[in-house]
Amino acid sequence: MNGALTRILAMALKELAVVLRDRRVLTTLVASPVIQLVLFGLATTLEVKNVSLGLVNRDNGVASERFLAVVAGSQVVGKIIVYPSERALAEAIEQRAVLGGLILPSDLSARVARGDEGKIGFLLDGRRINAAQIVQAYLAEVAATAGQSLGIGPVEPRLVIRNWYNPNLDYSWFTLPGMIAVITTVLVLSVSVQAIAREREFGTYDQLLALPIQHWEIVLGKIAPSFLVGLGNGAFYVAMVALVSDVPFHGSFAPIVLAIAAFSLAVSAIGLAISAVAASQQQAFLGGFLVIVPMILLSGYASPIDGMPEWLQPIAALDPLTHLLVVCHGTFLKGMSSALILGHIWPMLLVALTFLALAVMLLRRRSN
Amino acid sequence: MSLRDLLLSRPAMAIRAKEWAQIWLDPSTFGLVILMPLILMFLFGSAVTLDVRATRTGVIDLDRSSASRDLVGAISHNAYFRVVEQDSVAAAEPALRSGALRGFIVIPDGFERHLVTGSAPQVQLVTDGSQVNTATLLAANLRGALRSWAEARSLEQGAREAGAIGLIPRYTYNPGLESRYMLVPGAIGIVMAMIGSLLTALIMAREYERGTMEGLLATPISIPVLVFSKLLPYYVLGLASTAICVAVAVWGYGLPFRGSYLGLFLISSAFLAAVLGQGLLISAATKNQFVSTQFALLSGFLPSLLLSGFLFEIDSMPVAIQWLTYIVPARYLIPPLQSVFLVGDVWSMFLPNIAALLVFGGFFFLRVTRAIKRQIA
């Protein structure tokens, strides 16, 4: 066993030297993730604010005045552009100059004053359905409140909302901890997929086979650089986001680093399995890409898992990234307990073991 | 240099033949060109959805009156919620922390008493703020549910007319409110960005890494012809991928295709020119496959996904980032692409976008030829 350990260590050191030797690679490993974290962490917001709307106003009464005052003062709506006709409005929507347009009929205030329901038309761009629906829900609320302030309408329960863990629903509190997980995935997978494919491309893999070293020892040694890159970078981002950004850090450092370690191991194992079948670096990179994209999209980062079809949700639960995301959000915002975090670590370890075994099996089969 | 030189001269044809042979011999290229569109179309068509349905919501009814039971019933029957009744806030709290619940509703004691006396009773909603989007939609949906419950109740009790000002929304191009209609055309853009920048990011770096680049440069081929001939096969592959995507979008997911194939072809060609040029420049500048793919990811794939306005509204981003989106080619692709499916040929919008993309393409092409020339000198 001691011999095996020495061999794995030697293999790991050699692998690390290969990755760390190239200055450009090193710069890429450090600079690119930091840029991604900052840039995309700030940009990715599903929050909708500052949208341009069109307006065709045929009513000059108190109802439209009350309604428009609230609309103009809100954060959701930015510019309001007045159009002479519904046709001009429809054209502006087609050109994407505005997200939608409000059409206030000439009898709006008169109807409201009589006690009838006033109807405001709202034409929206169906191409931008997400933003359109959010703006529509918001304006429906504004319309109802404006109506109530004019003293009509049924008694309605008053909704008092409290958002735990993120009182102001600051979107960067969601994206920044999430970005840690996403970037670590990309980094670990890109490093691990080339481990064996690179040797094949340069023809040095045969030499490796000539050494007195077992397949599983190769795999464990090969996993070292990507595992360490993932662990080091992941821990660094956690510290960076906790210290530099205004996202609170309610949990403790040790459990989240443990989770990042388990995650790096799992993703390295997946990368190594790809590398074991790839004949060249190109194949390895492209194979890695075929895995990264579904991993990110199924993880719940881009869209909630709750909204996915029922049969797809168990598959999303196999994605190590899903678990790391829960741990990241849980640790930063919710102060998640270590016991709960452990519940997310073992599925990642299970993925790691499965793919490590697969990688060993694939290597053994290819060399026979 | 004439078009004849670029397309039909012997060196041009030789390089193209060599590139095709390399593509042909490596199944991974086809994997990317055929599998990637299928995987992405499936994910964006079936998995990614921004609609929030059946949100796991706890309900704590502290009033236990007929009015509060009626409200709980109304919320339970609403498709937006999957209601789990809880006894107390203390019981709901751990569920919210572990993520088993996305929020819980508290109907306080005295709810019915308030309602009867005509003063507005309170309903509390506690959301899991760590899931910002779900929390926002949960609140909006509950507000809607409370309003329709109150309206139905006042009509039952003989009130004359519901809500004083109503908003009547009409969604052009997408009356069924399918988020798929927005996501699938966007996914096509992602596929093109990926094929374009990732494949080409590898091709030059590979030649440098394997030491075959010097051999190529030693041949009497002119640099522009070399660059152009290396790109052409990948342009064809990019178009093939786009065609697969469009077929899946229209036949698989039932998207309308209201524009013309000519419009689609011109937009895709202009976009491919830009991203292929970008990938090739990265490739020629880095000369290392690993660094090159990392750059392609950083400057090609991720900005196309995150900064193109396809998932995340550009208007809502910080101003500095909004400016940055102007140098992301996908920003000029997504609006015409969504329109060619849902609206039709809007040439007044297509042409400026196509022009912008061609400027990108021309710029990258010039930079690549320069980057390679410098090395010989």
Side-chain angles (χ1 to χ4, degrees):
Chain A
M1 199 58 211
N2 212 349
L5 211 64
T6 316
R7 286 192 294 273
I8 294 172
L9 206 65
M11 186 80 216
L13 283 176
K14 175 237 156 201
E15 285 300 309
L16 268 177
V18 167
V19 173
L20 298 184
R21 192 197 47 193
D22 195 330
R23 273 270 286 288
R24 282 171 312 180
V25 173
L26 210 58
T27 319
T28 317
L29 284 180
V30 178
S32 115
V34 174
I35 299 174
Q36 290 175 44
L37 190 65
V38 174
L39 191 61
F40 303 127
L42 287 175
T44 47
T45 170
L46 276 173
E47 167 184 37
V48 174
K49 54 185 184 197
N50 206 18
V51 296
S52 304
L53 285 185
L55 172 68
V56 179
N57 192 0
R58 302 212 175 85
D59 179 73
N60 288 312
V62 60
S64 62
E65 204 174 279
R66 190 78 60 94
F67 174 70
L68 288 172
V70 182
V71 174
S74 91
Q75 286 231 320
V76 176
V77 180
K79 255 185 301 188
I80 296 181
I81 304 165
V82 178
Y83 292 99
S85 66
E86 283 167 45
R87 222 178 115 170
L89 173 65
E91 258 168 43
I93 292 177
E94 189 184 89
Q95 300 285 336
R96 284 173 72 114
V98 292
L99 176 68
L102 292 158
I103 301 151
L104 308 185
S106 54
D107 61 348
L108 180 70
S109 291
R111 281 180 67 98
V112 172
R114 274 207 309 273
D116 289 337
E117 185 181 11
K119 291 190 169 77
I120 297 175
F122 194 15
L123 193 64
L124 290 141
D125 188 343
R127 285 169 295 185
R128 294 153 80 184
I129 196 74
N130 186 51
Q133 276 176 293
I134 290 172
V135 173
Q136 187 248 312
Y138 170 75
L139 288 186
E141 182 62 27
V142 171
T145 319
Q148 270 175 354
S149 75
L150 292 168
I152 356 164
V155 183
E156 207 173 276
R158 201 154 39 85
L159 187 60
V160 181
I161 299 167
R162 266 185 304 153
N163 302 300
W164 281 6
Y165 318 125
N166 183 1
N168 298 320
L169 292 184
D170 191 333
Y171 213 87
S172 66
W173 290 22
F174 172 80
T175 42
L176 283 173
M179 242 9 220
I180 295 174
V182 173
I183 296 174
T184 309
T185 315
V186 174
L187 214 53
V188 173
L189 209 59
S190 339
V191 175
S192 64
V193 287
Q194 46 166 9
I196 296 165
R198 204 179 144 87
E199 302 243 15
R200 282 227 180 83
E201 185 164 325
F202 288 102
T204 50
Y205 187 68
D206 296 337
Q207 292 171 18
L208 208 60
L209 287 180
L211 296 174
I213 186 168
Q214 300 281 321
H215 288 292
W216 66 271
E217 293 166 353
I218 296 183
V219 165
L220 285 188
K222 285 270 178 199
I223 221 165
S226 56
F227 172 73
L228 289 177
V229 161
L231 183 60
N233 275 288
F236 170 66
Y237 306 147
V238 170
M240 195 170 96
V241 170
L243 294 176
V244 177
S245 76
D246 63 350
V247 183
F249 187 79
H250 290 311
S252 39
F253 200 62
I256 192 174
V257 170
L258 202 64
I260 291 175
F263 176 76
S264 301
L265 199 64
V267 178
S268 297
I270 295 174
L272 222 60
I274 296 170
S275 201
V277 282
S280 65
Q281 286 191 78
Q282 179 183 346
Q283 286 188 6
F285 284 130
L286 300 185
F289 227 71
L290 284 178
V291 174
I292 287 181
V293 174
M295 264 181 81
I296 294 178
L297 291 179
L298 287 177
S299 69
Y301 180 73
S303 75
I305 294 177
D306 296 342
M308 294 174 191
E310 299 271 334
W311 62 268
L312 206 60
Q313 294 186 14
I315 297 175
L318 292 178
D319 183 352
L321 186 53
T322 309
H323 296 285
L324 188 63
L325 268 180
V326 174
V327 172
C328 281
H329 287 137
T331 301
F332 272 90
L333 304 178
K334 296 180 174 178
M336 201 179 227
S337 68
S338 304
L340 275 176
I341 292 180
L342 273 180
H344 289 285
I345 286 182
W346 72 260
M348 297 196 264
L349 289 179
L350 213 61
V351 170
L353 277 179
T354 312
F355 279 91
L356 281 178
L358 186 69
V360 173
M361 218 176 68
L362 287 168
L363 277 186
R364 197 171 285 155
R365 220 182 52 193
R366 273 191 85 123
S367 58
N368 284 346
Chain B
M1 172 123 10
S2 69
L3 199 61
R4 223 187 112 80
D5 282 342
L6 282 179
L7 282 174
L8 299 172
S9 67
R10 260 195 67 208
M13 294 211 278
I15 292 284
R16 286 212 306 272
K18 175 228 152 212
E19 285 299 320
W20 276 119
Q22 239 170 355
I23 292 167
W24 202 253
L25 288 173
D26 191 341
S28 69
T29 314
F30 282 104
L32 194 76
V33 170
I34 296 167
L35 266 182
M36 201 69 212
L38 294 179
I39 292 178
L40 265 176
M41 291 311 278
F42 165 74
L43 286 172
F44 277 103
S46 300
V48 174
T49 162
L50 298 172
D51 317 330
V52 173
R53 290 165 288 139
T55 311
R56 288 161 289 152
T57 315
V59 172
I60 302 157
D61 179 3
L62 298 175
D63 196 39
R64 300 242 150 230
S65 59
S66 70
S68 72
R69 293 319 299 164
D70 187 41
L71 177 60
V72 173
I75 295 171
S76 307
H77 285 107
N78 191 315
Y80 287 122
F81 308 97
R82 186 185 297 156
V83 166
V84 186
E85 285 218 45
Q86 310 266 348
D87 293 328
S88 65
V89 173
E93 196 265 329
L96 197 66
R97 190 176 295 269
S98 72
L101 289 182
R102 289 298 179 211
F104 59 84
I105 301 165
V106 183
I107 304 176
D109 192 22
F111 176 78
E112 190 177 52
R113 206 174 54 238
H114 276 286
L115 208 60
V116 172
T117 57
S119 61
Q122 223 185 52
V123 171
Q124 288 160 6
L125 170 69
V126 174
T127 68
D128 175 356
S130 73
Q131 302 291 318
V132 177
N133 205 39
T134 309
T136 312
L137 292 171
L138 186 62
N141 291 335
L142 183 61
R143 223 177 239 131
L146 285 178
R147 169 157 314 123
S148 42
W149 176 76
E151 277 170 10
R153 201 178 147 84
S154 74
L155 279 179
E156 262 172 39
Q157 291 169 354
R160 191 162 48 100
E161 180 73 72
I165 301 182
L167 197 67
I168 318 288
R170 193 157 62 82
Y171 290 85
T172 50
Y173 320 126
N174 185 3
L177 303 186
E178 302 262 5
S179 70
R180 197 178 272 170
Y181 282 17
M182 171 184 104
L183 294 173
V184 167
I188 298 179
I190 301 295
V191 170
M192 278 198 258
M194 203 138 55
I195 308 254
S197 62
L198 207 67
L199 279 179
T200 46
L202 289 169
I203 54 177
M204 283 283 183
R206 199 174 50 206
E207 304 262 7
Y208 278 112
E209 220 171 81
R210 291 182 179 167
T212 48
M213 193 63 196
E214 268 113 72
L216 261 181
L217 290 177
T219 58
I221 189 167
S222 74
I223 306 280
V225 173
L226 171 70
V227 171
F228 191 80
S229 309
K230 266 192 162 289
L231 281 184
L232 205 61
Y234 293 93
Y235 165 71
V236 174
L237 288 180
L239 277 187
S241 264
T242 309
I244 294 175
C245 287
V246 173
V248 174
V250 174
W251 291 318
Y253 286 115
L255 250 76
F257 187 79
R258 302 199 175 108
S260 66
Y261 288 113
L262 177 71
L264 178 68
F265 171 76
L266 291 178
I267 299 161
S268 332
S269 297
F271 181 67
L272 282 171
V275 284
L276 288 169
Q278 187 183 359
L280 204 62
L281 180 59
I282 292 172
S283 190
T286 62
K287 306 189 190 66
N288 173 303
Q289 295 188 64
F290 174 74
V291 178
S292 191
T293 44
Q294 288 301 301
F295 260 92
L297 266 179
L298 178 63
S299 67
F301 170 67
L302 287 173
S304 302
L305 181 67
L306 303 173
L307 299 181
S308 64
F310 131 70
L311 268 179
F312 309 105
E313 282 290 311
I314 292 176
D315 288 341
S316 308
M317 297 173 187
V319 181
I321 304 228
Q322 287 188 30
W323 280 102
L324 201 66
T325 61
Y326 284 102
I327 57 167
V328 175
R331 184 196 211 274
Y332 304 92
L333 170 75
I334 300 293
L337 201 58
Q338 286 176 340
S339 301
V340 87
F341 279 97
L342 300 180
V343 182
D345 287 345
V346 190
W347 288 108
S348 56
M349 182 226 273
F350 289 3
L351 293 176
N353 283 312
I354 289 175
L357 289 170
L358 289 178
V359 169
F360 275 106
F363 171 76
F364 287 131
F365 188 82
L366 281 178
R367 295 290 310 185
V368 175
T369 48
R370 267 218 218 127
I372 297 174
K373 244 180 217 146
R374 257 206 307 276
Q375 282 175 7
I376 319 171

